[in-house]
Amino acid sequence: MDGLVVEAVEIARLYARQTPASAPAYQRIKDLVAGEILGGRWREGEALPSESQFVESLGLSRMTINRALRELSADGLLRRVMGVGTFVARRKSSSALAGVHNIADEVRDRGHGYSARVLSLREELPDPEISAQLGLDGRRSAFRSRVVHLEDGAAVQLEDRYVHPDFAPGYLDQDFTAGTPFTFLSEVAPLGKGEHIVEAVLPSAEECEILGIGPSEPCLLIQRRTWSGDAVVSVARLIHPGSRYRLVGTFDAH
């Protein structure tokens, strides 16, 4: 932690600049803090002044300060640690809801470091549901890869992917720490269309261990199928820790 972000006199100066003055005090504090964070002046992991310092510098009640900081925490801008302090929260990684994208590119586009860890890469007989989705005879094997994708060293996705062997020769020979399964499949079986099913789930004990999260942390599960031409090439189950990841979509109403 980097210590206090700003001195008490600076807090008072910033607060006095918040307009309109008729706005509730807690809202003016929220605007002050959000403005400093979103403007990049208060950075991820930095500590904010304590509630007592806010109270002393602004002459407001502790209840007002507490409400503002509590709501900012609920908004995901702050992280409060009991007995330690309040910190600027790590911004959640985002992926576009529409389209199929390479997670390595998304991480690097955010200016962060991407890395991957391969848990397994092998040929195996999928369960009947996966076989049916891939259009395989129930007696045919598929290629399966399990890869953990990391952003600045923190796991943001556990990818469990089955691939139709006819469309991806050489899949089992790839180094998926150097390039993602998405990149390889895009080269050998260009994407025609994709399908997403998104739901909230609680992770299994194994997934908690792999992702480095607690058993009560909700996760985003994306079940994805991708086609090349008229054929399903891969079926993937993508697990994202809810505290580190979000999906963003835009639409045109016309």
Side-chain angles (χ1 to χ4, degrees):
M1 304 302 177
D2 298 326
L4 297 181
V5 173
V6 64
E7 298 295 333
V9 64
E10 180 67 4
I11 298 171
R13 184 185 68 81
L14 292 170
Y15 180 75
R17 288 169 49 191
Q18 296 301 311
T19 56
S22 58
Y26 82 90
Q27 185 62 53
R28 294 173 68 190
I29 295 168
K30 287 183 64 178
D31 292 344
L32 181 165
V33 174
E36 295 302 296
I37 293 173
L38 297 177
R41 291 174 289 278
W42 295 1
R43 300 183 179 181
E44 294 178 3
E46 290 187 318
L48 268 68
S50 67
E51 286 189 13
S52 297
Q53 289 170 312
F54 271 107
V55 168
E56 181 180 352
S57 62
L58 302 180
L60 299 173
S61 71
R62 184 177 293 273
M63 183 180 300
T64 296
I65 302 299
N66 181 270
R67 177 178 177 178
L69 299 182
R70 187 176 69 249
E71 291 188 6
L72 284 163
S73 298
D75 292 340
L77 290 176
L78 297 180
R79 179 173 61 90
R80 308 186 78 187
V81 181
M82 186 174 295
V84 178
T86 301
F87 305 89
V88 178
R90 179 185 177 91
R91 303 299 296 276
K92 289 186 179 181
S93 304
S94 299
S95 284
L97 182 58
V100 179
H101 305 278
N102 183 15
I103 189 169
D105 292 339
E106 291 180 345
V107 170
R108 291 172 181 136
D109 287 346
R110 290 190 286 269
H112 294 174
Y114 169 80
S115 59
R117 187 170 75 252
V118 177
L119 302 178
S120 61
L121 179 60
R122 64 194 181 207
E123 183 173 355
E124 66 177 63
L125 188 68
D127 66 36
E129 182 179 354
I130 298 294
S131 290
Q133 291 184 57
L134 287 170
L136 289 171
D137 182 298
R139 293 167 294 182
R140 283 198 66 188
S141 296
F143 299 150
R144 185 184 184 186
S145 57
R146 298 183 76 216
V147 181
V148 184
H149 301 281
L150 303 100
E151 182 167 350
D152 291 340
V156 292
Q157 183 188 98
L158 169 58
E159 173 190 321
D160 188 353
R161 184 186 296 268
Y162 287 89
V163 177
H164 196 304
D166 292 350
F167 297 96
Y171 189 81
L172 299 182
D173 299 323
Q174 302 306 303
D175 178 3
F176 289 131
T177 64
T180 65
F182 174 90
T183 300
F184 177 75
L185 292 174
S186 297
E187 294 173 352
V188 300
L191 179 68
K193 67 175 181 178
E195 173 190 78
H196 288 151
I197 300 174
V198 183
E199 58 184 312
V201 298
L202 286 176
S204 67
E206 181 196 23
E207 289 164 346
C208 288
E209 183 177 356
I210 291 170
L211 294 169
I213 59 177
S216 61
E217 176 164 341
C219 291
L220 284 175
L221 167 62
I222 301 176
Q223 298 183 74
R224 175 184 293 167
R225 286 194 294 171
T226 54
W227 283 256
S228 185
D230 295 328
V232 176
V233 172
S234 75
V235 175
R237 186 175 186 271
L238 314 173
I239 289 278
H240 307 84
S243 63
R244 303 173 192 161
Y245 204 82
R246 63 180 180 177
L247 292 170
V248 178
T250 58
F251 64 90
D252 189 337
H254 302 291

